[in-house]
Amino acid sequence: MKKVIVYSLLLLLGLGLSQLVPSWLGASYGAVAHVVKFLTMVALAFIMIHVGYEFDIDRSNLRAYGWDYVVAATAAAFPWIFCAAYFILLLSPAGAWSTWDGWRDALLAGRFAAPTSAGVLFSMLAAAGLATTWVFRKTRILAIFDDLDTVLLMIPLKMLIVGLAWQLGIIVIVMVAQLWLAWRYLHRWHLPVRWPWVLSYAAGIAIVCELIYYASLGLDELVPIHIEVLLPAFVLGCMIARPPGHETEAAAHDQFECPAERRAGTVISAVFMVLVGLSMPAITGVGAPEPVAQADNQMLEAYLPGTGAAAVAKPQPLTLSWAALAGHVLLVTLVANLGKMFPVFCYRREAPWRHRLAVAVAMFPRGEVGAGVLIISLSYGIGGPMITVAMFSLALNLLLTGVFILIVRQLIGREPAAAPN
């Protein structure tokens, strides 16, 4: 559990630096934001390749995966709906609930609460010694489906904002093609899996995703093609063949338990924790307003080139008292996490209620994907109290990640039960 505490402190360090570095670096912060974004993508891809390599598909029980997808869809949709309703009812201007613009802004801002941070979650669960448990296996598939649903649910929302766009259809086709590749070539590609190779694969995936994004900007700056590294990295891990004697999930996991692999995985996961914290946008309306607004613009330019200069041009003053802000942040955080609780009512034949509750709590951690949604919200000029509350809520959830993992560990107990696949 010491590793969980260390990772939590690193998240805190990155989060603190995300609010301080923009003021320290000034105009040069934009270049740093680009580097942070790319390194975060590489580290996440590294983690997800390992996750895919240890993943198996039970082809004789495909119906179970269909149910997993339904459960994951609730984990992606319920927090979004709950937070959007909270924003439109309590944090939007009077009468906004009766206008489409009000609901559009609330729905987009509320998306920050939906995605579970797969990279943070898997690193933390492994650090807690839970990588071989039923809870880990079930959370793994739910978190991956959760992030897929997050991308899919963003597509109709973007269509409502920018209109019909062929680029969004391309994203869906690419996602389906990747899932087909994982199914068709599951553990058939003979590639080396030592950490230097995996790191090079991760960097290659991040570079390709960035090249696709920048190339698509030349076609349409408003609707570029944005491929998240999470899915292609996971799919590549699924396609890499396991050597003889390591065909099972447990044996595949043991391959990364040698000192060199364990040390490399720990270092990259630790760096990833700092980078996730650094990926948080500066919190608008709090502190020195001009540097904060400039930081938001520079972060936007790093993640969404061409939008930073036009989005958050002027800082928006904080219109809530600190007490009201704290109350809203706590309530939004509670509402968002309540939306992740549906797994408690599922899988009754597979696990006791404590393990089902552990799965739900394990879905709480948010991180780089939620921050990305907030960045997209800023790019569309959405601001005001609900974005400030959303950013603080995401930060609070990030800080509580270690607590969530400790709760999961306590729910499972000292002797983690290995339930059937």
Side-chain angles (χ1 to χ4, degrees), residues 371-397:
V373 172
L374 289 177
I375 289 169
I376 292 173
S377 300
L378 290 171
S379 74
Y380 288 113
I382 299 173
M386 64 182 173
I387 291 296
T388 302
V389 170
M391 288 183 177
F392 271 113
S393 178
L394 181 61
L396 178 60
N397 234 312

Side-chain angles (χ1 to χ4, degrees), residues 13 16 95 100 130 137 164-165 218 227 231 238 244 250 260 344 346 379 394 403:
L13 173 63
W100 163 241
L130 304 176
R137 293 199 300 274
L164 295 175
I227 307 297
L231 184 57
C238 287
V344 176
C346 310
S379 74
L394 181 61
V403 176

Side-chain angles (χ1 to χ4, degrees), residues 1-15 120 123-128 263 265-277 398-403 405-406:
M1 296 308 293
K2 290 182 180 179
K3 190 180 289 186
V4 173
I5 296 173
V6 171
Y7 284 175
S8 299
L9 293 175
L10 291 173
L11 280 170
L12 177 60
L13 173 63
L15 187 60
V120 171
S123 296
M124 284 288 198
L125 288 176
R263 189 182 312 115
T266 298
V267 170
I268 292 173
S269 293
V271 171
F272 177 68
M273 296 300 165
V274 178
L275 292 171
V276 168
L398 200 61
L399 294 176
L400 291 174
T401 299
V403 176
I405 301 304
L406 290 174

Side-chain angles (χ1 to χ4, degrees), residues 4 20 31 54 95 121 145 208 252 287 364 369 388 390:
V4 173
L20 297 174
E54 296 177 24
L121 171 61
F145 283 157
V208 169
F364 285 1
V369 181
T388 302

Side-chain angles (χ1 to χ4, degrees), residues 19 22 64 66 85-86 92 95 106 117 128 143 157 185 214 225 228 238 249 282 300 314 344 357 366 388 394 398 410:
Q19 305 304 308
Y86 188 99
S92 295
S117 177
L157 188 55
Y185 298 103
Y214 280 97
I225 299 174
E228 296 284 353
C238 287
E249 287 189 20
L300 284 170
K314 296 181 180 180
V344 176
L357 180 58
R366 313 300 205 279
T388 302
L394 181 61
L398 200 61
Q410 289 299 313

Side-chain angles (χ1 to χ4, degrees), residues 212-351:
I212 292 173
Y213 181 81
Y214 280 97
S216 67
L217 284 175
L219 300 174
D220 189 340
E221 291 186 357
L222 292 177
V223 192
I225 299 174
H226 190 195
I227 307 297
E228 296 284 353
V229 299
L230 183 145
L231 184 57
F234 173 75
V235 168
L236 177 60
C238 287
M239 293 192 297
I240 297 177
R242 298 166 179 168
H246 293 84
E247 289 86 358
T248 66
E249 287 189 20
H253 175 75
D254 289 343
Q255 283 186 267
F256 304 120
E257 289 302 301
C258 67
E261 292 294 322
R262 189 163 47 198
R263 189 182 312 115
T266 298
V267 170
I268 292 173
S269 293
V271 171
F272 177 68
M273 296 300 165
V274 178
L275 292 171
V276 168
L278 273 171
S279 298
M280 279 288 295
I283 298 174
T284 57
V286 180
E290 288 297 338
V292 165
Q294 293 171 6
D296 284 335
N297 290 337
Q298 290 166 337
M299 179 69 79
L300 284 170
E301 193 62 33
Y303 280 76
L304 302 167
T307 63
V312 190
K314 296 181 180 180
Q316 300 189 20
L318 183 64
T319 57
L320 298 171
S321 68
W322 284 103
L325 176 64
H328 283 298
V329 168
L330 290 174
L331 288 174
V332 167
T333 303
L334 177 63
V335 165
N337 287 335
L338 282 176
K340 295 285 186 181
M341 295 298 288
F342 187 69
V344 176
F345 306 102
C346 310
Y347 309 116
R348 295 183 180 182
R349 295 182 180 179
E350 297 183 45

Side-chain angles (χ1 to χ4, degrees), residues 48 55 57 62-77 111 114-116 118 122 138-153 175 179 230-231 234 340 347 363:
M48 293 309 299
F55 182 72
I57 298 176
L62 295 182
R63 181 177 296 181
Y65 294 106
W67 177 239
D68 287 339
Y69 187 84
V70 171
V71 175
T74 67
R111 288 301 297 154
T116 296
F122 298 146
K138 185 57 66 177
T139 306
R140 175 176 57 192
I141 187 66
L142 291 181
I144 292 168
F145 283 157
D146 178 294
D147 281 341
L148 290 180
D149 281 327
T150 295
V151 175
L152 289 173
L153 289 171
M175 289 174 61
L179 293 173
L230 183 145
L231 184 57
F234 173 75
K340 295 285 186 181
Y347 309 116
M363 297 289 286

